[in-house]
């Protein structure tokens, strides 16, 4: 939505939607359990994504948002694989 808004020069709508994305990533960060070493890695990724979203918002730069989307889609796909592997191992 933010990318489309930037393309239409609707910077208010872009701002609102970029901030929504930042809040969602912030929620993900807030759920990390640091007793697991991987949480630190996820925290660093989330920090990077939030920094890039802020930068995209200030600059109204859709290329930065596209970069963030690429990272988020990769993470989503990885989680899908983890869930599928977990289901396959549970059903055996």
């Amino acid at each position: 939505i933010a990318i489309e808004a930037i393309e239409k020069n609707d910077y208010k709508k872009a701002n609102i939607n970029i901030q929504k994305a930042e809040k969602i990533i912030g929620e993900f960060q807030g759920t990390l359990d640091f007793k697991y070493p991987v949480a630190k890695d996820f925290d660093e990724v989330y920090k990077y994504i939030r920094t890039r979203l802020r930068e995209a918002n200030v600059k109204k730069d859709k290329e930065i948002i596209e970069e963030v989307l690429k990272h988020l889609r990769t993470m989503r796909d990885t989680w899908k694989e983890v869930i599928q592997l977990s289901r396959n191992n549970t059903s055996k």
Side-chain angles (χ1 to χ4, degrees):
I1 294 171
I3 290 170
E4 290 175 11
I6 290 169
E7 289 171 346
K8 294 177 182 176
N9 296 323
D10 187 347
Y11 298 126
K12 182 177 180 180
K13 186 174 184 178
N15 175 54
I16 289 167
N17 285 283
I18 292 170
Q19 286 183 350
K20 284 180 183 180
E22 283 183 65
K23 288 177 185 175
I24 291 167
I25 300 303
E27 288 294 319
F28 289 161
Q29 262 185 301
T31 65
L32 292 173
D33 186 344
F34 286 94
K35 71 180 178 183
Y36 300 103
V38 72
K40 184 178 180 226
D41 297 331
F42 274 101
D43 190 51
E44 291 301 317
V45 171
Y46 292 147
K47 284 178 187 176
Y48 174 77
I49 289 171
R50 290 178 79 191
T51 298
R52 293 298 282 163
L53 285 169
R54 282 187 218 105
E55 186 179 348
N57 204 2
V58 169
K59 295 179 178 180
K60 299 300 184 257
D61 187 330
K62 67 181 186 174
E63 290 177 10
I64 295 172
I65 299 170
E66 289 167 353
E67 173 204 337
V68 168
L69 276 172
K70 182 180 175 188
H71 293 303
L72 292 175
R73 286 180 178 135
T74 299
M75 291 175 73
R76 176 201 61 198
D77 294 345
T78 301
W79 278 114
K80 282 181 180 180
E81 286 182 41
V82 168
I83 291 167
Q84 188 61 42
L85 287 171
S86 175
R87 286 182 182 155
N88 289 343
N89 287 335
T90 304
S91 63
K92 291 181 180 180

